Amino acid sequence: MSKAILELLGKDIVLGDGGYLVELERRGYVDSGSGREKVGTGRGSGQFTPEVAIENPDALAELHREFLNAGSQVLQALTFFATREKLTRAGYGQETEKINRAAVEIARAVAGDHALVAGSVSRTQLFESEGPSAAGHVRELFEEQIALLLDANVDFLILETFFRLDEMLIALECARGKGVPLMATISFRPLTIRSSDGHSPAECARILAGEGADMVGANCEQEPGRMMPILRAMREATSAVIAAQPAAFRTTDETASFTRMPQFPDALETIQVARQEFIDFAARAKTEGIAYLGGCCGCNAAYIKAMARGLAAPVAELKVEEAV
Ligand SMILES: [Zn+2]
């Protein structure tokens, strides 16, 4: 079993990467789905699929290189939303094997001996559109994608951007016992106090760790300042490694998830968070018991570099008030 990520975590805080799809959308290689498909979770949510891995592999490799250069110790293969049903909705279902394999190969080629490669598995959106009756289909989709990622030889798996704990637990069941470490991070949406199926951050952390996740935490939807209370509650609930991959978009007390903001997806530039917040977040992570730090939507290499600076700097005060 490859334990490389756990060995790294045993030494120090690990710096990851993140934000691939939004960054590649800005660069013209990913479709945001704006105005064309309205699946389940609202406006513009139906696209952001990773066919760039086969359509423009050089663009993806370049972004990996930027993260590596910024200090990322883990490169996430761009397999987010690469379950067969989601790819089918984008017109790429037939390419499911090819996209998953290519994404891992591209990340591995850039990582070489300098970084680990994680496979990303995200929600199917079927729980949002069909409800829990989709569970059987969802399980088949996860089993297929996880087998593809393990075949492609990822170092570990990141199960991320799940709004519901019940769907996450299906993914976790499909992934555990397969010989790779597992990270499981919930995206709290629309509220930061519970998952969309009603579980508090503490409950999510405890249950995910109990069900075999080596690393638990939160990713996406909020900027670092607003995510911090979620992470604190999780850290108090479990001794598992706490992982954080916040978004770089400013949310509000009324709307605590950026994908529910009216600026999503076509005016995100207007709610972009400054890199300073990521410097402060990384500095604070050292005293908050957060052991894995990456980014999510809105981040690029500059934000990872900012976190590297924060990790090297004295502990700063995280100004949550300024974040809202
Ligand atoms: Zn995100």
Side-chain angles (χ1 to χ4, degrees):
M1 170 170 174
S2 169
K3 297 237 183 199
I5 182 62
L6 302 179
E7 284 162 14
L8 273 184
L9 285 162
K11 291 180 199 154
D12 207 343
I13 293 176
V14 172
L15 186 60
D17 60 356
Y20 283 91
L21 283 168
V22 168
E23 181 65 18
L24 288 166
E25 193 271 339
R26 287 170 169 170
R27 298 182 186 191
Y29 298 109
V30 165
D31 189 342
S32 75
S34 175
R36 60 179 269 193
E37 192 186 358
K38 315 258 192 302
V39 179
T41 53
R43 189 171 160 259
S45 65
Q47 206 75 20
F48 281 116
T49 42
E51 61 272 14
V52 61
I54 57 170
E55 297 287 7
N56 289 286
D58 293 345
L60 178 55
E62 171 57 22
L63 188 50
H64 281 310
R65 273 192 291 274
E66 293 170 20
F67 281 121
L68 188 67
N69 188 50
S72 296
Q73 296 167 276
V74 172
L75 297 181
Q76 295 181 80
L78 187 55
T79 54
F80 186 93
F81 275 163
T83 43
R84 184 176 297 276
E85 190 278 338
K86 172 70 180 176
L87 287 175
T88 298
R89 277 185 273 142
Y92 285 88
Q94 308 268 2
E95 317 286 345
T96 302
E97 290 90 349
K98 211 171 150 192
I99 289 171
N100 279 279
R101 197 179 316 120
V104 176
E105 283 172 1
I106 292 165
R108 183 68 74 188
V110 174
D113 297 331
H114 305 292
L116 300 176
V117 172
S120 164
V121 177
S122 55
R123 74 183 187 284
T124 59
Q125 296 181 318
L126 297 180
F127 269 69
E128 282 79 28
S129 59
E130 297 174 17
S133 67
H137 187 197
V138 164
R139 183 180 301 273
E140 288 172 10
L141 293 166
F142 287 145
E143 278 174 353
E144 178 186 40
Q145 192 193 8
I146 289 167
L148 290 172
L149 294 174
L150 295 176
D151 268 1
N153 209 21
V154 293
D155 293 305
F156 70 104
L157 289 172
I158 296 181
L159 315 177
E160 62 173 352
T161 324
F162 284 78
F163 296 159
R164 300 177 59 103
L165 180 64
D166 54 6
E167 189 182 16
M168 169 68 96
L169 288 172
I170 295 174
L172 195 52
E173 274 175 43
C174 295
R176 76 183 168 211
K178 299 284 171 58
V180 292
L182 302 175
M183 179 187 294
T185 61
I186 301 280
S187 293
F188 288 86
R189 179 187 189 271
L191 302 175
T192 55
I193 54 168
R194 57 177 178 265
S195 61
S196 70
D197 57 341
H199 300 276
S200 70
E203 278 176 333
C204 289
R206 207 161 30 235
I207 292 169
L208 291 170
E211 294 296 320
D214 304 283
M215 301 156 267
V216 303
N219 79 288
C220 206
E221 294 295 351
Q222 296 87 30
E223 67 275 39
R226 198 178 297 281
M227 184 179 278
M228 187 59 96
I230 297 173
L231 300 167
R232 249 178 227 146
M234 290 182 142
R235 187 206 58 213
E236 283 163 16
T238 176
S239 57
V241 166
I242 299 298
Q245 304 209 88
F249 296 122
R250 174 92 52 240
T251 60
T252 65
D253 287 345
E254 295 71 35
T255 307
S257 53
F258 84 88
T259 58
R260 284 279 179 98
M261 300 278 284
Q263 290 88 349
F264 177 78
D266 291 334
L268 290 172
E269 291 78 7
T270 63
I271 54 169
Q272 185 76 41
V273 164
R275 280 174 256 169
Q276 183 63 45
E277 189 165 336
F278 280 71
I279 297 176
D280 294 344
F281 181 65
R284 180 56 82 82
K286 292 183 283 191
T287 57
E288 294 283 353
I290 302 167
Y292 185 100
L293 284 181
C296 205
C297 302
C299 289
N300 56 28
Y303 287 78
I304 299 302
K305 209 173 259 185
M307 286 200 283
R309 272 181 63 191
L311 288 174
V315 175
E317 281 301 305
L318 188 70
K319 298 184 179 65
V320 177
E321 293 77 14
E322 286 182 14
V324 292

